[in-house]
Amino acid sequence: MPKPALFLFFIFSAFLFPLSAVSSEAAKSVAAHYLLTGEVAVVGPFNPLQVAGEPFWIVYFAPQDAKESKNLVLVVKDEGENAVLETRESLLKEVFELDFQLDALKQLEDHKASFDALDPVVQGVLVKIRSNARLGLDRITAQQDSYPALSFEDVSVALQDVEDRAQLASDRIQEGKTYQSSFSQTFYSEDLILAVEHYPSVFEALLALSDAVDTYHQKIDEKQNDVSKGKLSREVAESLSTSLESIRDVGIDASFRNFLDPRKRDYELRLSRKDSQINDTLSSFYFRKAKVEAKDAYDASRQREVPPETLLSESYRSDFEACQISTRELQGKWLSIKQTMALSSATVEQYSEIPSQVVEANALADSLAEKLRRCLQGSTPTPVPKPSAGQDNVRNFLIVAFVAIVGFLAYQFYKRQQLQAEE
């Protein structure tokens, strides 16, 4: 490709395949909040995946001493400047399916049944046919006059079928390699899907090739038998039989099926479990998320300035009773929360309810604490100094004097009334 064209290609690719603004470390840090003790976050080689035009990171949680294993799969959405944990079920299922397909490719690679591993086998068949078997058969048929009673047409037809089947298998492998190679460069989900979906047709083409090779070998066996029974000189018969044997090798034999069959079965078995595994992965993610977030809410509540648990302790009971404030509602809510957090078999639904239950318990605890504060402040009387003994004597004297004066005035009023009556 000329340099100007290459430059334009890279410019164009920048728009087609936008670079991720979020690093693998940023993606791992978002997922790391849900790690358990003894686990590490691992990012695979094909990240970020491009799904429907959006980038997503697949983050695996693995045991520290077995980083090839997977305890959990999380998806982190790359939003340019931010990385956020993906929780949408439909999107998660789509990405988890891609992760499943990546595992399928890894299995094929480990079992030496990938496109790259199978391609040399098929190319070897084509080379053997064109450089040896076809030329050898041509030499045999060129001497047809020496054994006119024998026909090698059936051998030629069988060999041609082997070559055709090998070419078809090669074409399908090349198509699959193109998709897989494109995916390894762009991380586009569509290319991964096409690559994985191509393997069954490749296996079928290879099995058809194996059958064609078996038929070809049978035709050679039959022809060698015809030679041994034909009315040929011993020297000609041995030479012809040896020539037929020399064109038997076409790169594969019956052992190829023994290699291919178990790998095809393993692949098909894995594919049959796809839906079940995706659902299990989804359930595991939602369970871990719910459990960790429930624990976060529970621990945060217990670390508040006035935790619900503290208000329900013995040290506050007498104050609440004195103020006639009921803590029954808070007791019920907090007991339900504690029971769920203590369960060894709590469900994702139970864990999912904990954060909102904790919010309600915290609000109720705040309300009770405020009521108790007001009650205790209002029940404290304003201190009044007690009078001394001297003050008591003065007060008593004043009272006696006041009574005496009132009595004297009343008596004078009574006398005046009597005098007026006599006059």
Side-chain angles (χ1 to χ4, degrees):
M1 183 182 295
K3 290 184 179 180
L6 186 62
F7 174 75
L8 291 175
F9 171 77
F10 285 121
I11 294 297
F12 184 60
S13 298
F15 292 97
L16 284 179
F17 318 125
L19 294 176
S20 169
V22 172
S23 68
S24 61
E25 291 303 316
K28 286 195 293 185
S29 67
V30 170
H33 179 69
Y34 299 91
L35 282 169
L36 299 182
T37 302
E39 288 183 330
V40 292
V42 179
V43 171
F46 304 108
N47 272 294
L49 282 175
Q50 301 293 327
V51 183
E54 294 184 297
F56 295 88
W57 292 82
I58 297 180
V59 182
Y60 308 118
F61 285 178
Q64 289 179 335
D65 56 350
K67 294 184 179 180
E68 294 298 318
S69 303
K70 291 183 185 179
N71 289 350
L72 195 70
V73 182
L74 294 88
V75 179
V76 176
K77 185 179 180 182
D78 185 337
E79 293 188 338
E81 296 182 357
N82 300 311
V84 296
L85 187 71
E86 182 58 64
T87 60
R88 291 171 292 175
E89 181 175 338
S90 59
L91 201 290
L92 287 175
K93 282 188 173 181
E94 189 172 353
V95 179
F96 287 157
E97 181 172 354
L98 297 175
D99 178 60
F100 175 88
Q101 291 167 332
L102 287 171
D103 284 344
L105 293 184
K106 183 66 166 57
Q107 179 192 39
L108 290 168
E109 183 179 345
D110 292 343
H111 292 174
K112 298 183 177 5
S114 65
F115 293 135
D116 287 338
L118 295 173
D119 189 36
V121 176
V122 177
Q123 297 307 318
V125 171
L126 290 171
V127 169
K128 284 278 188 179
I129 291 173
R130 293 165 184 172
S131 65
N132 180 62
R134 177 64 63 193
L135 294 177
L137 185 58
D138 288 345
R139 285 193 294 269
I140 291 173
T141 56
Q143 301 179 43
Q144 187 69 55
D145 293 343
S146 302
Y147 23 83
L150 296 174
S151 172
F152 297 91
E153 182 64 22
D154 53 348
V155 177
S156 180
V157 170
L159 180 59
Q160 185 60 53
D161 190 39
V162 172
E163 185 173 8
D164 291 343
R165 298 289 183 180
Q167 188 59 58
L168 177 60
S170 175
D171 291 344
R172 290 185 176 175
I173 289 174
Q174 296 307 317
E175 290 171 2
K177 285 182 68 174
T178 298
Y179 293 129
Q180 194 162 337
S181 175
S182 177
F183 168 71
S184 67
Q185 297 173 38
T186 65
F187 304 157
Y188 265 47
S189 60
E190 293 85 353
D191 292 328
L192 174 60
I193 293 170
L194 289 171
V196 171
E197 290 179 346
H198 227 69
Y199 272 99
S201 66
V202 168
F203 281 128
E204 292 301 324
L206 290 173
L207 288 174
L209 170 60
S210 179
D211 290 340
V213 171
D214 287 345
T215 300
Y216 174 65
H217 287 164
Q218 290 172 9
K219 295 301 180 182
I220 290 179
D221 291 340
E222 292 171 2
K223 198 57 58 181
Q224 286 178 323
N225 188 50
D226 291 343
V227 168
S228 65
K229 294 178 180 180
K231 296 180 180 181
L232 299 173
S233 66
R234 182 176 179 179
E235 182 180 350
V236 171
E238 288 180 353
S239 175
L240 184 53
S241 181
T242 300
S243 295
L244 286 169
E245 190 63 31
S246 70
I247 65 172
R248 181 184 294 274
D249 183 10
V250 288
I252 60 173
D253 54 25
S255 63
F256 182 66
R257 179 176 285 276
N258 296 333
F259 165 85
L260 199 62
D261 277 341
R263 286 157 175 79
K264 179 175 179 289
R265 283 197 303 271
D266 289 346
Y267 186 71
E268 291 172 345
L269 180 61
R270 175 178 283 273
L271 292 184
S272 71
R273 296 172 175 169
K274 181 181 72 173
D275 291 342
S276 175
Q277 183 169 324
I278 290 173
N279 288 332
D280 287 347
T281 303
L282 188 68
S283 297
S284 296
F285 164 72
Y286 280 137
F287 180 82
R288 175 73 69 88
K289 179 177 180 293
K291 184 175 182 178
V292 170
E293 292 177 355
K295 187 176 184 302
D296 288 345
Y298 180 64
D299 291 345
S301 181
R302 298 178 71 188
Q303 294 170 6
R304 301 175 82 235
E305 184 177 354
V306 184
E309 205 164 35
T310 300
L311 285 178
L312 297 174
S313 65
E314 287 294 326
S315 60
Y316 277 85
R317 177 180 293 183
S318 59
D319 288 338
F320 279 119
E321 290 177 350
C323 292
Q324 296 184 342
I325 300 173
S326 174
T327 61
R328 182 174 300 175
E329 185 179 1
L330 179 60
Q331 286 175 345
K333 288 184 179 295
W334 192 250
L335 178 61
S336 176
I337 292 170
K338 289 188 68 174
Q339 286 176 337
T340 297
M341 296 306 297
L343 287 175
S344 59
S345 57
T347 65
V348 64
E349 289 78 13
Q350 288 174 307
Y351 280 132
S352 297
E353 292 173 356
I354 291 296
S356 61
Q357 290 177 347
V358 167
V359 169
E360 293 174 0
N362 288 341
L364 186 55
D366 290 343
S367 175
L368 290 174
E370 179 61 17
K371 288 180 180 179
L372 185 62
R373 183 186 66 80
R374 291 178 179 177
C375 170
L376 295 178
Q377 286 181 347
S379 64
T380 304
T382 303
V384 178
K386 292 184 178 181
S388 62
Q391 289 175 330
D392 286 343
N393 293 334
V394 171
R395 184 178 63 180
N396 293 336
F397 172 78
L398 291 175
I399 291 173
V400 172
F402 175 77
V403 171
I405 293 171
V406 171
F408 175 78
L409 293 176
Y411 174 75
Q412 292 296 323
F413 177 78
Y414 173 76
K415 284 181 65 176
R416 188 178 299 113
Q417 291 293 326
Q418 287 292 327
L419 289 175
Q420 290 177 354
E422 289 175 359
E423 293 176 355

